[in-house]
């Protein structure tokens, strides 16, 4: 195998296809960037923005607080809701980027409709009731565009859209996407994305990014107790990373709440290992959680971490990317975490505290564990579909995943991961 | 007066950085996104994020590397998540003048390159087009070096196989 000619061909292709920057880009970029306040910490900006809103509005944001602690950042002012009916049918080709199956037949997907030139014309919220064979477009009508989504059950979903320097818009549905209701939050710092977590149809949270730097990400945490009709700002990141504050350090990878009081926040970090934080007061205060690093395993240098997922009030798991993924499990509600070193690098899908699958990122091998990640056995391959994402099993035999090939597509298994089949994306 | 001077100096330093780095950031973003309009979005996001944190950047000599890392991260975010933030409003139709150019140059390679995952495309472009070594690629992507190597090896193997160049 002669390596050099191919690499030369690759360099030639990349160089010759490079696009010259469009005229005037520096002025446009400069103008947009400097139209906003400069250089304050995210916390200062957040408090400044919030304080300004309070002064201008002259009223307090009346929300049923998840907590009653003093000293919380003031809540933003929502606009009245509007109802949006189901959108018109689609005309372009549709791809799927992630799936969220609730049962083996009912589920949601994040999708995109392609324009005639192959670019993304619009972003979609899709719902299926027949296991992915057919999807229905339930996206709130344009011009509203979803940027982040959260799904809880077969009827309840939330979607966020960001209007930088102005506000963020949260849409909610409780009837499977037939109708959406909008709430606007006047947070000029929010640039997205947002990570949602709901423990029931009323109690939910989202962390929204205010931007990130070398090894930190600023953001704000919002909570709702009425399904998203009103949102209260619960905390913002603190640049000092003082004890009790939501951490500024690390690039946030997600939040997950177990109940109305206990939640988790995770972040990659170029230190000895990724960051894991917990709150026990609904999101107001956060504390770092230590967890063990298995002997001979290197978790340093900014590895990815998933937010914990709980199967009951006591059992749960989270994963840290490594040459062999480390899966941490708990049986005491997260008080302690025990590492399980997987046989390969990949993403895990837990059906419950005992049954899990791991899809290798290196070769598409599917592994299964029946003892909570202690032991694994290879059960199949999905290498023909390229690297997989959004792998999800809803029973011991039925699983779904999204390929990362272009265009992203859906594949399913009905034999526990032994064989996989591509499913055409059919949207009505 | 001192505060005004500091603010003015910050703005001047930031403007210099924008004018010095925008074109190279656009090249980075375009090599990952393969779309001029999206690449400009990524650069604009990068500079907005940078301006917000400009005063907290203690070592201005490292601004270039800092901006590149933000830009690569933002480009991967835009590419990875089809549910990305759309800065342009509705009805703003974007042209893709580069499509014909891509097809004309090496359509077979273009086809397999576009089928790679976003991170595979990123490490290929950063390494072969922009000349970063794999440790630098990993740092720019916010990944560990082993992951960057894995993405590169798998991407090369996939392309060579699909092009019959094994």
């Amino acid at each position: 195998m002669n390596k050099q000619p191919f690499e030369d061909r690759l360099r030639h292709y990349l160089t010759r296809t490079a696009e010259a920057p469009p005229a005037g880009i520096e002025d446009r970029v400069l103008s947009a960037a400097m139209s906003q306040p400069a250089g304050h910490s995210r916390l200062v900006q957040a408090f400044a923005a919030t304080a300004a809103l309070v002064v201008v509005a002259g009223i307090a944001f009346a929300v049923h607080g998840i907590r009653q602690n003093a000293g919380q950042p003031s809540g933003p002012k929502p606009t009245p809701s509007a109802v949006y009916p189901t959108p018109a049918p689609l005309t372009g080709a549709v791809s799927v980027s992630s799936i969220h199956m609730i049962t083996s037949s009912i589920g949601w997907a994040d999708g995109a409709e392609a324009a005639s030139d192959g670019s993304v014309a619009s972003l979609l919220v899709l719902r299926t009731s027949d296991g992915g064979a057919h999807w229905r477009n339930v996206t709130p009508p344009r011009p509203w565009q979803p940027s982040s989504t959260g799904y809880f059950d077969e009827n309840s979903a939330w979607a966020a859209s960001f209007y930088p320097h102005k506000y963020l818009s949260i849409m909610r549905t409780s009837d499977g996407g037939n109708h959406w209701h909008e709430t606007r939050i006047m947070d000029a710092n929010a640039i997205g994305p947002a990570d949602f977590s709901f423990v029931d149809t009323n109690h939910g949270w989202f962390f929204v990014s205010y931007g990130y730097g070398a090894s930190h990400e600023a953001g704000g945490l919002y909570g709702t107790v009425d399904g998203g009709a009103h949102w209260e700002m619960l905390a913002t990141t603190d640049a000092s990373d003082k004890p009790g504050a939501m951490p500024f350090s690390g690039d946030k990878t997600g939040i997950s709440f177990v109940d109305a009081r206990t939640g988790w926040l995770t972040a990659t970090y170029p230190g000895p290992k990724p960051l894991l934080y917990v709150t026990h007061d609904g999101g107001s205060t956060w504390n770092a959680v230590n967890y063990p690093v298995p002997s001979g395993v290197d978790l340093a240098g900014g590895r990815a971490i998933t937010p914990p997922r709980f199967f009951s009030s006591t059992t749960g798991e989270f994963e840290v990317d490594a040459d062999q993924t480390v899966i941490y499990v708990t049986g005491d509600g997260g008080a302690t975490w025990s590492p399980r070193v997987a046989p390969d690098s990949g993403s895990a899908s837990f059906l419950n505290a005992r049954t899990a699958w791991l899809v290798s990122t290196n070769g598409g091998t599917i592994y299964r564990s029946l003892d909570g990640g202690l032991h694994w056995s290879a059960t199949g391959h999905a290498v023909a579909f390229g690297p997989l994402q959004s792998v999800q099993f809803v029973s011991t035999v039925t699983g779904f995943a999204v390929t990362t090939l272009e265009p992203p597509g859906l594949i399913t298994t009905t034999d526990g991961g032994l064989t996989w089949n591509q499913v055409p994306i059919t949207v009505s | 007066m001192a505060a005004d001077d500091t603010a003015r100096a910050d703005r001047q330093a930031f403007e210099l950085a924008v004018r010095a780095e925008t074109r190279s950031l656009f090249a980075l973003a375009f090599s990952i996104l393969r779309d001029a309009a999206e690449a400009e979005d990524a650069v604009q996001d990068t500079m907005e994020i940078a301006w917000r944190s400009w005063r907290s950047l203690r070592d201005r000599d490292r601004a270039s590397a800092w901006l590149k890392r933000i830009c690569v991260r933002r480009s991967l975010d835009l590419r990875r998540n089809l549910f990305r933030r759309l800065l342009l409003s509705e009805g703003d139709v974007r042209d893709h003048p580069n499509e014909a150019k891509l097809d004309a140059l090496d359509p077979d390679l273009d086809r397999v390159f576009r089928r790679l995952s976003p991170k595979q495309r990123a490490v290929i472009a950063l390494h072969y087009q922009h000349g970063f070594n794999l440790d630098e690629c990993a740092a720019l992507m916010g990944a560990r070096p082993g992951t960057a190597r894995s993405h590169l090896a798998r991407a090369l193997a996939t392309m060579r196989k699909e092009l019959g160049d094994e």
Side-chain angles (χ1 to χ4, degrees), chain A residues 2-381:
Chain A
N2 193 343
K3 189 177 171 185
Q4 194 60 41
F6 179 73
E7 296 189 348
D8 288 344
R9 179 182 175 186
L10 192 52
R11 285 192 185 91
H12 180 76
Y13 161 78
L14 291 167
T15 303
R16 293 292 302 278
T17 56
E19 183 92 343
I25 183 175
E26 291 94 342
D27 292 333
R28 288 195 296 278
V29 165
L30 195 59
S31 172
M34 299 184 81
S35 65
Q36 58 180 318
H40 297 294
S41 74
R42 304 269 59 79
L43 183 63
V44 172
Q45 284 191 27
F47 273 108
T50 305
L53 278 173
V54 170
V55 170
V56 171
I59 57 173
F61 175 42
V63 176
H64 303 293
I66 291 176
R67 299 163 305 93
Q68 300 299 320
N69 291 0
Q72 285 302 300
S74 300
K77 178 180 179 296
T79 59
S81 289
V83 179
Y84 292 81
T86 299
L90 302 170
T91 55
V94 173
S95 61
V96 165
S97 58
S98 67
I99 52 166
H100 310 268
M101 297 302 294
I102 307 302
T103 67
S104 59
S105 58
I106 298 175
W108 304 80
D110 297 342
E113 181 186 20
S116 57
D117 62 2
S119 63
V120 174
S122 61
L123 306 171
L124 308 172
V125 177
L126 305 174
R127 185 177 183 276
T128 182
S129 56
D130 58 8
H134 300 87
W135 295 87
R136 191 163 62 91
N137 176 26
V138 295
T139 316
R142 297 186 76 177
W144 199 92
Q145 280 275 351
S147 292
S148 302
T149 53
Y151 305 104
F152 178 71
D153 61 20
E154 57 190 54
N155 292 315
S156 305
W158 296 263
S161 189
F162 303 93
Y163 300 84
H165 323 311
K166 296 176 183 173
Y167 62 90
L168 62 104
S169 169
I170 306 291
M171 288 278 190
R172 66 186 188 282
T173 180
S174 58
D175 61 4
N178 288 322
H179 299 87
W180 293 87
H181 302 262
E182 182 187 29
T183 298
R184 292 184 180 181
I185 300 173
M186 309 306 288
D187 187 340
N189 290 308
I191 66 167
D195 292 299
F196 287 96
S197 177
F198 273 78
V199 296
D200 55 42
T201 54
N202 287 320
H203 294 85
W205 296 257
F206 71 85
F207 174 88
V208 61
S209 178
Y210 290 170
Y212 37 73
S215 59
H216 62 264
E217 180 177 13
L221 182 73
Y222 286 86
T224 181
V225 295
D226 57 11
H230 301 85
W231 293 90
E232 180 188 14
M233 179 182 276
L234 302 173
T236 55
T237 51
D238 184 335
S240 68
D241 270 350
K242 65 185 178 186
M246 196 162 64
F248 183 62
S249 294
D251 296 333
K252 312 302 182 290
T253 59
I255 61 166
S256 63
F257 276 76
V258 183
D259 55 39
R261 301 189 67 80
T262 301
W264 304 83
L265 181 151
T266 49
T268 62
Y269 184 67
K273 59 187 177 183
L275 305 178
L276 175 67
Y277 280 77
V278 67
T279 178
H280 293 295
D281 58 9
S284 174
T285 61
W286 294 84
N287 290 291
V289 175
N290 195 14
Y291 57 93
V293 177
S295 176
V297 173
D298 178 17
L299 298 185
R303 295 172 188 274
I305 181 173
T306 64
R309 180 186 170 217
F310 278 77
F311 318 110
S312 68
S313 60
T314 56
T315 60
E317 64 91 22
F318 71 91
E319 299 140 41
V320 178
D321 178 39
D323 294 334
Q324 291 175 267
T325 296
V326 181
I327 298 169
Y328 288 87
V329 299
T330 182
D332 56 13
T336 59
W337 294 95
S338 301
R340 310 272 194 259
V341 180
D344 207 336
S345 173
S347 60
S349 171
F350 275 73
L351 180 64
N352 50 47
R354 300 190 63 80
T355 306
W357 289 260
L358 180 87
V359 180
S360 164
T361 55
N362 295 318
T365 303
I366 313 288
Y367 299 88
R368 187 175 64 177
S369 173
L370 298 175
D371 57 9
L374 271 176
H375 302 90
W376 296 86
S377 57
T379 61
H381 290 271

